[in-house]
Amino acid sequence: MKADCILLLNRFCPGVFHVINSSSFILFFAASSLLTSLLFAQPSNRDQLVGTWIGVHAEWDIDFVCPLPTYIRLNADSTYQLGMVDGSASPLTSTWSVQGESVRIDTIHYAPEMVRMQGDLLRIGTTYPLVFRRFTDIPADSAQVHRQLTAKSWQAGNVVINLFANGKASLEDVVTKQRTAHFWRLARFGSSVFLIIRGNQYTRDGNYKPIWQIVANSAKSVKMIGWNGKSISTETFQLLKPLSPTDSCRASGFQTCDNCYRSMWHEVALGRSHKRYDVLQLLTKYYQPVHRAGQSGLIQIKFVVNCNGESGLFSTTGFDEDYCPKVFDERITTQLLTLCRNQIAVDESFRANRNPDSRPQDAAITLAFRLKDGNITDILP
Amino acid sequence: MKPIVYLLLLLSASAFAQDGERFLKSCASMMATNRAPQSRFFFAERREKSRLDTLTRNAQNDRFRAINYLWQRDYEQADLWLEKTSVTYPKESGAIGELYLLELRDYQRALKHFDAYDALTPAFDDIVYNSPVSYFKGLAYQGLGDHQRAIEQFSAGIDSLVHKHGAEWVNYRHFISRAVSYIALQQPEKALTDLGFALKNFNRSALAQYHRGRALRQLNRTQEAQTAFQDASFFFKALRAERTIDFQEDDHNLLYEPDIDEALQNLKTLNR
């Protein structure tokens, strides 16, 4: 913490560090410690932790989170439950306790500060923190909510949720016009009702989208608590229009099967595997060298093949021999893109799961070709 | 009949629960992962970058930063940090050269760094990881198609190891690499001598047998060449079963099963 503050000071106020005397330093850190303790209250009082916590998301990176469809129940009698909000699995039960600055949940002993409270949010861990919100039971009639939500289009801010009568759903961004296809259902949790959107364009299975708890509903609007992309808030979704059977529930373009898609997690590297040999064979067969001095360096092509074999998100980046950005002759990049699109993207082995019992996965493929005067001399691993 | 109906109901329920159970298990395992802070963020590029920004600069941290960019395939930044590391810490030049050679297939850059590394102690064949820098210089020349120079460098590396430890302690891949260049220069006898040394040090090498087959073919000893290729095919399959499906004996000398099959097929065509 101290080192971080010094770095921050040096970054934003160069030179300031040299003139701060030791007493002001002590005051500064006392103030920052107070602020930290106010923001992240230590769970010294186990009563603060008692209750039911609804999963919000797992923070995988500074700018990347994945919805968390689970709940944690920490009971006053030291019993503990970890379950799915939609009841799709039997909850795991165990015990929990607070020992000094540490918390034990089941058999996991958390180091001090690993279980922190931030207002009504519970954060577990610092590496890939799991964030939960305190649950308040809000009674709702699921049959009545279903009648009001189904076959209608709802909008809050830039987000439109289309809930079709056949259980299909689509999420649309009104600014980017991008639409993804999923499935929806309502789930009872206590006396509350949650809107669950999950799955992809092909199947109900797969990751969840953020789950929403119904607060109130009427014919024209529905209020729901959930993560709106920035914070936990109660959003009012206004009725946009009734949906007719002819309305499209399809994705607007290429959609990955994994709702929580990250290229790093799905990367299929050629390495020195047999796939590299296959790609070399394809190049020998299809690539017509464009002999031109200066067409040297690296061309990197990235694309994604989803679990059903559809490809998209193609991008091309060029680097010269000094690894600075470079635009290559279009005759070269077009050939390589066509090869990727028509030959490599349709090769099922790229998205085959190593575990034969598992479903096919999305595959993020990156190929980097080394060129010398328009001739391909190598493929990077 | 009733138990079968119950069984079917149970199976359908468990099939529905399977996905939920998977999520639950994954959440439980994440909770365990989060019990203590971790030193590196393997799946969080931006968090990892922030962590690296806070580290004090030293050879290891700078090199790791370059490798991180290589993993992310950000070649511009990777090159920047590779060069920066080499300039700031000249003793890192050998390792930097190896990254240019192996990961970027940039033989000119690799040579530049190997030369700089070798020049640090002119009278001594410096070691990069477990091999003399001459061996890596040989690989770089081989990549550039300059087999004569490659042989000179491989020989310098092999000789220094033989002098210090004896031929049986030379990595068999060094002999294979020199043999590959001898074959390229149509000097199959010399290649066979080297491949003999290689097989003495690792007698189950598919790679050595494959190149032995190539050398024997240059000498028109087709029957022996066929045996060598068949041995290569046998050991290739055996090594693949023992290790992983993507196993390569030598990352600098890649061999694929169709290469062996093609060599065998060509021999058959020749014998017709």
Side-chain angles (χ1 to χ4, degrees):
Chain A
M1 178 70 190
K2 196 169 180 176
D4 287 352
C5 289
I6 293 167
L7 281 167
L8 278 173
L9 270 176
N10 270 332
R11 184 179 298 168
F12 295 115
C13 319
V16 167
F17 178 66
H18 301 287
V19 293
I20 293 178
N21 60 34
S22 58
S23 58
S24 58
F25 227 110
I26 292 164
L27 277 173
F28 174 79
F29 283 109
S32 63
S33 304
L34 182 65
L35 187 66
T36 308
S37 61
L38 283 172
L39 282 172
F40 303 108
Q42 287 298 305
S44 53
N45 185 353
R46 74 191 289 279
D47 294 345
Q48 287 177 291
L49 287 170
V50 169
T52 300
W53 301 88
I54 299 290
V56 177
H57 53 231
E59 289 179 359
W60 283 99
D61 205 344
I62 294 165
D63 57 348
F64 186 75
V65 299
C66 285
L68 199 57
T70 52
Y71 70 89
I72 285 179
R73 188 167 284 146
L74 300 167
N75 295 317
D77 64 359
S78 294
T79 55
Y80 150 80
Q81 267 191 350
L82 172 68
M84 296 294 291
V85 172
D86 65 359
S88 58
S90 307
L92 306 172
T93 55
S94 187
T95 58
W96 72 286
S97 65
V98 175
Q99 298 150 337
E101 288 190 348
S102 300
V103 175
R104 175 187 64 80
I105 297 178
D106 195 2
T107 56
I108 310 163
H109 291 259
Y110 289 94
E113 292 194 36
M114 287 296 106
V115 178
R116 297 183 296 172
M117 286 177 64
Q118 188 179 10
D120 271 346
L121 292 181
L122 174 68
R123 297 171 66 86
I124 298 180
T126 52
T127 307
Y128 310 110
L130 299 176
V131 182
F132 295 82
R133 69 174 175 88
R134 191 180 283 285
F135 172 65
T136 307
D137 206 1
I138 304 165
D141 178 345
S142 59
Q144 190 255 343
V145 173
H146 190 273
R147 270 195 305 278
Q148 280 196 336
L149 291 184
T150 195
K152 293 185 184 84
S153 185
W154 304 89
Q155 180 172 7
N158 291 334
V159 178
V160 171
I161 303 179
N162 299 309
L163 302 173
F164 293 88
N166 60 3
K168 290 186 176 181
S170 65
L171 296 174
E172 201 171 331
D173 185 314
V174 291
V175 179
T176 62
K177 303 284 178 204
Q178 281 195 321
R179 190 173 63 227
T180 53
H182 312 276
F183 288 82
W184 75 282
R185 64 182 276 248
L186 294 178
R188 289 198 67 84
F189 186 79
S191 308
S192 300
V193 173
F194 279 79
L195 171 63
I196 309 286
I197 296 176
R198 61 175 302 200
N200 51 44
Q201 64 275 47
Y202 309 112
T203 166
R204 287 168 198 275
D205 300 335
N207 286 352
Y208 289 72
K209 299 299 283 183
I211 56 175
W212 293 89
Q213 183 182 2
I214 309 292
V215 175
N217 63 305
S218 68
K220 296 282 180 193
S221 69
V222 55
K223 274 188 180 180
M224 301 191 279
I225 303 177
W227 177 256
N228 65 5
K230 287 177 186 159
S231 62
I232 288 291
S233 70
T234 303
E235 298 285 332
T236 303
F237 285 80
Q238 301 289 349
L239 175 67
L240 198 60
K241 60 172 187 177
L243 290 167
S244 75
T246 53
D247 282 320
S248 174
C249 56
R250 289 187 182 169
S252 55
F254 174 77
Q255 182 182 339
T256 56
C257 295
D258 191 346
N259 289 331
C260 200
Y261 174 84
R262 206 155 198 225
S263 60
M264 188 191 263
W265 297 351
H266 294 271
E267 187 168 310
V268 179
L270 282 185
R272 288 148 189 97
S273 69
H274 194 91
K275 286 192 190 81
R276 181 179 177 278
Y277 175 87
D278 294 339
V279 174
L280 281 170
Q281 294 300 305
L282 288 171
L283 285 170
T284 310
K285 195 172 174 186
Y286 294 104
Y287 181 72
Q288 300 291 321
V290 178
H291 300 289
R292 221 181 117 192
Q295 293 298 305
S296 305
L298 292 170
I299 294 181
Q300 184 186 59
I301 299 183
K302 290 182 177 181
F303 58 99
V304 183
V305 184
N306 75 10
C307 67
N308 205 40
E310 291 174 353
S311 58
L313 308 179
F314 283 85
S315 69
T316 311
T317 317
F319 302 89
D320 67 12
E321 287 184 295
D322 288 325
Y323 301 92
C324 295
K326 176 185 173 76
V327 178
F328 277 83
D329 189 314
E330 205 175 305
R331 288 171 295 170
I332 297 173
T333 47
T334 307
Q335 272 197 77
L336 292 176
L337 267 171
T338 308
L339 184 85
C340 288
R341 206 182 288 272
N342 297 345
Q343 305 294 333
I344 298 169
V346 296
D347 183 343
E348 286 188 18
S349 67
F350 277 100
R351 61 195 169 87
N353 201 309
R354 290 237 166 168
N355 177 0
D357 297 331
S358 300
R359 289 186 293 254
Q361 305 275 315
D362 295 329
I365 301 170
T366 304
L367 300 174
F369 305 94
R370 184 166 280 287
L371 288 100
K372 185 74 184 168
D373 298 331
N375 289 302
I376 294 174
T377 56
D378 219 325
I379 307 177
L380 301 198
Chain B
M1 187 66 196
K2 226 175 184 179
I4 295 173
V5 174
Y6 283 138
L7 182 68
L8 286 172
L9 276 172
L10 197 68
L11 280 176
S12 62
S14 68
F16 173 72
Q18 204 176 18
D19 233 29
E21 275 167 15
R22 193 165 56 85
F23 277 105
L24 209 54
K25 277 182 189 164
S26 132
C27 182
S29 100
M30 280 280 291
M31 284 177 69
T33 304
N34 275 331
R35 67 189 178 279
Q38 289 184 11
S39 54
R40 279 180 188 170
F41 300 100
F42 287 104
F43 298 104
E45 293 164 26
R46 293 192 60 182
R47 234 178 242 159
E48 177 63 10
K49 190 182 172 302
S50 302
R51 186 188 75 82
L52 291 174
D53 286 343
T54 64
L55 296 180
T56 47
R57 286 199 59 187
N58 61 37
Q60 195 189 352
N61 288 343
D62 279 11
R63 180 151 51 90
F64 184 69
R65 201 182 259 261
I67 292 171
N68 231 23
Y69 281 119
L70 275 177
W71 283 340
Q72 291 167 27
R73 295 162 194 278
D74 183 343
Y75 299 119
E76 191 180 358
Q77 285 298 316
D79 172 66
L80 195 81
W81 279 94
L82 286 170
E83 293 296 337
K84 206 186 273 192
T85 308
S86 180
V87 168
T88 320
Y89 313 101
K91 285 183 180 173
E92 289 291 309
S93 300
I96 299 298
E98 206 259 355
L99 285 168
Y100 274 112
L101 181 71
L102 196 63
E103 300 299 326
L104 291 163
R105 307 269 182 196
D106 189 337
Y107 305 115
Q108 292 286 11
R109 284 284 180 108
L111 261 182
K112 183 188 98 176
H113 289 283
F114 289 140
D115 284 341
Y117 184 66
D118 204 16
L120 292 176
T121 50
F124 181 73
D125 201 350
D126 300 76
I127 297 292
V128 182
Y129 298 119
N130 297 316
S131 299
V133 69
S134 302
Y135 167 64
F136 289 104
K137 283 167 80 172
L139 289 170
Y141 279 120
Q142 198 171 66
L144 290 168
D146 188 344
H147 290 284
Q148 194 54 56
R149 278 188 156 174
I151 289 168
E152 284 166 22
Q153 292 300 325
F154 288 136
S155 300
I158 290 170
D159 291 349
S160 72
L161 290 172
V162 171
H163 178 70
K164 269 187 234 163
H165 311 292
E168 69 273 24
W169 288 99
V170 178
N171 187 327
Y172 78 102
R173 296 177 185 90
H174 295 204
F175 288 118
I176 295 179
S177 293
R178 188 165 66 178
V180 167
S181 283
Y182 277 133
I183 293 169
L185 294 179
Q186 302 286 323
Q187 297 178 23
E189 289 92 351
K190 288 180 178 173
L192 282 176
T193 308
D194 269 349
L195 292 164
F197 280 122
L199 284 164
K200 206 172 171 188
N201 289 356
F202 181 44
N203 60 9
R204 297 170 64 230
S205 169
L207 192 62
Q209 289 291 3
Y210 171 72
H211 289 297
R212 201 168 148 264
R214 290 178 64 215
L216 288 164
R217 208 193 138 180
Q218 280 189 351
L219 291 167
N220 289 322
R221 289 155 63 181
T222 49
Q223 196 56 48
E224 289 168 86
Q226 185 167 356
T227 309
F229 286 136
Q230 281 167 345
D231 285 348
S233 179
F234 174 80
F235 288 125
F236 190 95
K237 289 179 177 71
L239 286 170
R240 185 178 55 196
E242 261 176 39
R243 312 205 179 171
T244 67
I245 201 160
D246 293 338
F247 172 73
Q248 284 285 347
E249 270 188 61
D250 184 359
D251 285 347
H252 298 286
N253 267 312
L254 303 183
L255 177 66
Y256 297 99
E257 202 169 10
D259 292 328
I260 307 171
D261 295 343
E262 194 186 332
L264 273 168
Q265 190 58 42
N266 288 344
L267 269 187
K268 279 178 192 165
T269 317
L270 201 71
N271 290 337
R272 268 182 204 156

